Every structure is written in C-alpha cells, then in structure tokens.
Amino acid sequence: MSQQLTAGTVAVAPPAPRAPTARLVSGLQGTPGRLRVVAAVTALVVAAFGLVAASTLRSSSGALERADLNLTQLVRVQSIQSDLLQADASATNAFLVAGLEPPTQRAAYDDAIARVTTTIATAASAQPADAAALGALNGQVQQYTASVEQARALNRQGLVVGATYLRNASDTLRGQGIRLIDALRAANQSRLDTEIGASSSGLALTLVGALAIVVLLLALVELARRTHRYVNVPLAVGTGLVVVTLVTGTVAIASVRSAATEARDGSVAATTSLSQVRAAAFDAKANESLTIILQGPAGDPYEALWVTDSETHVLQRLTTLSVPAAAEGLGAAWNAYVSRHEAIRTTSAKGRYEQARTDAAKTDPASANAAFNAFTTTVSQRLQQQEDAAGAALTAPRTRTSLVGWLVLVLSLAAAALALRGVGQRLEEYR
C-alpha cells in the first residue's frame, strides 16, 4: 500500500548505498576488523611459505639435474682430450716403423679421431655456451690431422723431415688445442660446482618458515588478548603443521646437501681425476715415441715431459684419488709399463736407436705397448664405473626432493586454511 503524503509531513529519502571503500574501512574497524586483518595476514604468510618451500625444493631438484648434465659435459670434454692424445700416441708410435705404418695403429688413430669429431658435435649441441670454443677446437683438430697426413706421406717416402712435421703437429695440438680443452674443462667444472652448491641452498625456506611461525604465534596471542579465549585448536594445529613443514623441508635440503657433497668429493672427483690420468697416460705414450724418433738431445725435452706425465699426472694423481678402490692395482699396472719404457730408454742411451725403435713398436704380451694398453683399458673401465656412480649419486635425491616439495605445499595450504578457520570461529562470536 502506497503512503499518501499530506500537508505537514516530510519525505525521508532511503539511505544511499555505501561505497566499497567505505564498507572496507568499516569492516576493518573494531575487534572484528582486527581479527579479519589477522586472518588475512596469517593465511597469506603461511601460503607464501608453502610456495617458497615448494619452489626451493623444486629448484634443488632442478640444480641436481643440471649438475648431472654439466658432469656429463665435463666428461665429454675430457674424453675429447683423451681421444686426441690417444690419436697422437698412435700416430707417433706408428712412426717408429719405417715405411707403411701398421694397420692396427692406423685404425686406432682413425677411430680416435672419429670419436673426437663426434664428441665435439655432441658437446656443442648439449651446451651452447661451449659452442664457440668447440668450433675453434674442431678447427685445430682439422689442422692437426692435415699435418699428420703430410708427415705420413713424407715418412712413406723415407724422408726424415716427416718426423719434423709430426713433431710440429704434436706441439701445435698440445699448445693450442689442449689450451682450448683446458678452458672448456674449467668452465664446465665451474658450472658443475655452482649447480651442486645451488642444490642445497635452503636459506629462503628457513627465513620465510621462521616468519610464518612468528606470525602464527602473534596471531594466537592477539586472539587470546582480544577474546580471552586462550585455546584456538585450528590455529594451533596450523602452527604445528608449519613447524612440521619447515622441519621436513629443512631435512630434505640437508639430505640433498649431504648427498651432493658426498658425490662431489667422491665419485665426481674420481671421475675427473681418472679422466685426467687417462689423458696423461696417452700424452706420456706420445712423448715416449717422439723421444725415440728424434733421438739424442732433440728428444730429451719429450723424455722430460714423459717423466712429468708419469710421476705427477699419473702416479701422484692415483695416490690421491678420492675413491681409493678405483685406483686399486692401477699404480702397479702403470709401473709395469714404466719398467718397459726404461728398458727402451736404456737401449736408446747406448746408441742402439734402431733396436729401441723396434722394441717401442712391439705389441707382444711382454712389450711396452701391451703393458700400456692393459693400463689404459683398466683406467677406462674404472672411469666408466665412477661416471655411472657420480650420475646416480646426483640424480638419486631428485625424486625424493620433488615428492617432498609437493608434500610441503599441501601441508602449508592446509595450515593456511586452518588459520582462516581458527580466526573465523572467533569472528562468528561477534555476529
């Protein structure tokens, strides 16, 4: 029924709707307003903690994956060096025989160069940051193989100058080619160390987790102070969940740190050391051949290099290998080759150069070549074992870390929901 206005009455307009800002300001006033602020802040901080915790564990898993990839690339680079020096050892050893070189030595050289070419292409594809240096290295390899072919052609004609071409090819390989490989190895070792360090960084998780616990405790105090209700079960349970989440995440990161450190100091270090031992062995073998080919004072510098390779880069490195079991028997195997090498050098020192060349080129079971091949074959097997162990050690924590990441996220979201529920119970008492 409509109301009729009569003389003397005043029309009253309905109240105008309040603006959203005004409603928000009104909603935040008084004790209910403060409780709404407490609910929002606690839920946001706890949810943020969950996201940070999950992100930290996910980053840890990703860093371990990248560390494994960098280790694989580091081994590739070191394999390139070993194969190059193996090719050079085969080429120089084949020069000990006048005329046509032994087919087995030629095949060994060709196989080593083929592996170098393939590995360079694979490494450039796997790590774009290495592409430029690998391209330059590939140019050095092409120049080296061309020089070796020229030396071979001269050797087949019986021209002594072929030895000079061979020596120049070997020197260029070690001067420019190996320097590029050293730079690549250092870059990949740095990337590997960085990723291993990043895999165990839990500072953000700890700081945000501590902040969330402090905020929740302050919320409990604020509720008790304003409502005089000293027990809020949902909020207390939510606080407990955050504590459990922080402990779980911290333990997971600590576990990753322990596994990564053990891998870095154990199988990863053994992998890189054994790879360097293998490369040094092939370098020593090439120097042995150059010593005998050049004879006398011209060969002395190569004998000095052989001594450095043998004593410093092979034997000393084997005695300090991070996984002692991986070096078991290798020192004796190398010394077996050393004794045959010294016998050849003694023959050469007596002026019996042709006999020394013949002895150094032999391949029977009692020869220096047989002892050398036994050593390098065993080193290659141990290297593969350590590389597999290092890869497994780096990747093993990844699945566990990913699962813990999802778990802490769920627990944190549950804690945020409980915080909202706990404050909400007190708000309902004001309605």
Side-chain angles (χ1 to χ4, degrees), residues 68-264:
D68 184 35
L69 293 175
N70 282 304
L71 174 63
T72 302
Q73 182 75 348
L74 177 61
V75 172
R76 282 195 197 100
V77 170
Q78 292 179 322
S79 296
I80 293 171
Q81 181 181 17
S82 291
D83 287 333
L84 269 177
L85 294 173
Q86 182 180 6
D88 197 50
S90 298
T92 52
N93 194 258
F95 249 70
L96 297 171
V97 180
L100 293 175
E101 59 194 312
T104 53
Q105 296 282 32
R106 178 63 192 231
Y109 171 85
D110 289 340
D111 290 345
I113 291 298
R115 287 197 300 272
V116 167
T117 304
T118 301
T119 309
I120 286 177
T122 303
S125 175
Q127 178 53 272
D130 293 341
L134 288 166
L137 177 61
N138 191 53
Q140 291 294 324
V141 172
Q142 300 304 319
Q143 182 179 343
Y144 167 75
T145 54
S147 298
V148 169
E149 288 305 317
Q150 193 170 10
R152 279 173 168 156
L154 294 169
N155 190 49
R156 284 195 294 271
Q157 297 173 39
L159 299 176
V160 180
V161 72
T164 302
Y165 277 86
L166 181 66
R167 181 181 61 184
N168 292 338
S170 295
D171 290 347
T172 302
L173 174 68
R174 284 163 177 74
Q176 300 177 21
I178 299 303
R179 273 202 293 271
L180 283 170
I181 292 175
D182 286 342
L184 286 165
R185 184 169 53 218
N188 282 284
Q189 183 68 60
S190 177
R191 283 194 285 264
L192 172 61
D193 293 340
T194 299
E195 296 299 348
I196 287 178
S199 69
S200 57
S201 177
L203 180 61
L205 181 147
T206 303
L207 292 178
V208 180
L211 174 63
I213 292 173
V214 169
V215 169
L216 285 166
L217 292 176
L218 290 176
L220 284 168
V221 172
E222 181 68 9
L223 280 182
R225 189 177 71 82
R226 288 189 173 272
T227 65
H228 302 290
R229 303 280 295 277
Y230 299 105
V231 178
N232 187 294
V233 175
L235 194 54
V237 173
T239 304
L241 282 182
V242 170
V243 173
V244 170
T245 302
L246 178 58
V247 172
T248 302
T250 303
V251 170
I253 290 295
S255 175
V256 169
R257 183 183 298 112
S258 175
T261 301
E262 183 178 354
R264 181 194 63 196

Side-chain angles (χ1 to χ4, degrees), residues 288-373:
E288 174 190 82
S289 299
L290 287 170
T291 300
I292 298 170
I293 291 169
L294 298 173
Q295 302 174 6
D300 288 346
Y302 295 99
E303 177 61 15
L305 292 172
W306 184 93
V307 172
T308 301
D309 283 331
S310 177
E311 295 181 357
T312 303
H313 301 309
V314 175
L315 290 175
Q316 186 174 330
R317 188 161 278 144
L318 285 175
T319 59
T320 58
L321 204 66
S322 57
V323 181
E328 186 176 353
L330 289 177
W334 180 254
N335 283 326
Y337 158 69
V338 169
S339 64
R340 290 164 174 77
H341 167 82
E342 290 175 345
I344 294 170
R345 286 290 300 160
T346 299
T347 301
S348 178
K350 292 178 180 177
R352 299 164 58 193
Y353 299 124
E354 290 303 319
Q355 184 60 49
R357 291 172 70 108
T358 300
D359 291 345
K362 286 180 178 177
T363 57
D364 61 87
S367 67
N369 278 336
F372 179 82
N373 290 337

